[in-house]
Amino acid sequence: RPQFALGYGILLILILARTFDAYANQFTSVIGGYDRPELVFRTNVVFVVINTLLNFVLICAFGWYGAAVATAFSALVELVLAYYYVTTAIGYPEIPYRQILYQFVAAAGMAVVLYTLTQHITVNNYSVVATVFIGAAVYLILLLIISKPVRQKFRMLAPAWIPE
């Protein structure tokens, strides 16, 4: 519907921002584990200052999109800074490129299924909720199929009544 058109692009930018933030949180947890709270504090302060300044500038220029871009860029800076602090504290961590690729593949598969599905349904509150659950299920199933570490962790955490 037309009222969702504005939110769609903004949501995509905010998903990117959340992705950056999720990885930055992993790095700041490592920094905190090395008893360096001042570095975590600096990282958070840089994020807040950049996000606040960019929001003032970009909201005036671009409205809601400006706010989303400000948040995404601030989260990217937070990620880069946290990564820098981790590498100076413990060296370069091993990045699980293959697992990240699996997540992108599962997300692409989910996107294809959801795009196909949304071409054939009428949008209402119930179909939106159902689509979210279907998307999550498709992503999880695809990730379980293609990623052995995810399958192993799922097996450890799953209730006993779920078959192997």
Side-chain angles (χ1 to χ4, degrees), residues 34-119:
Y34 273 86
D35 198 25
R36 300 293 306 269
E38 75 281 2
L39 297 179
V40 175
F41 179 74
R42 280 188 216 161
T43 303
N44 291 332
V45 166
V46 167
F47 170 80
V48 169
V49 168
I50 290 174
N51 196 26
T52 303
L53 293 174
L54 283 177
N55 267 294
F56 280 123
V57 173
L58 295 179
I59 287 174
C60 292
F62 304 106
W64 288 106
Y65 277 98
V69 168
T71 301
F73 182 77
S74 302
L76 177 61
V77 171
E78 176 190 28
L79 171 61
V80 170
L81 186 59
Y83 181 77
Y84 170 76
Y85 286 147
V86 165
T87 58
T88 57
I90 64 169
Y92 290 94
E94 185 178 325
I95 298 174
Y97 292 108
R98 182 170 292 194
Q99 294 305 314
I100 294 170
L101 175 64
Y102 290 159
Q103 291 177 21
F104 276 105
V105 169
M110 176 189 69
V112 168
V113 168
L114 291 179
Y115 178 78
T116 305
L117 178 67
T118 57
Q119 299 306 305

Side-chain angles (χ1 to χ4, degrees), residues 29 37 90 102 142 155:
S29 293
I90 64 169
Y102 290 159
L142 289 174
R155 207 50 247 143

Side-chain angles (χ1 to χ4, degrees), residues 106-160:
M110 176 189 69
V112 168
V113 168
L114 291 179
Y115 178 78
T116 305
L117 178 67
T118 57
Q119 299 306 305
H120 303 299
I121 63 171
T122 303
V123 176
N124 59 42
N125 291 342
Y126 300 110
S127 66
V128 169
V129 171
T131 303
V132 168
F133 281 107
I134 290 168
V138 168
Y139 179 81
L140 176 63
I141 290 167
L142 289 174
L143 204 53
L144 285 169
I145 290 169
I146 62 178
S147 175
K148 185 177 180 178
V150 171
R151 272 194 312 276
Q152 290 171 336
K153 184 155 294 213
F154 180 81
R155 207 50 247 143
M156 288 180 358
L157 298 173

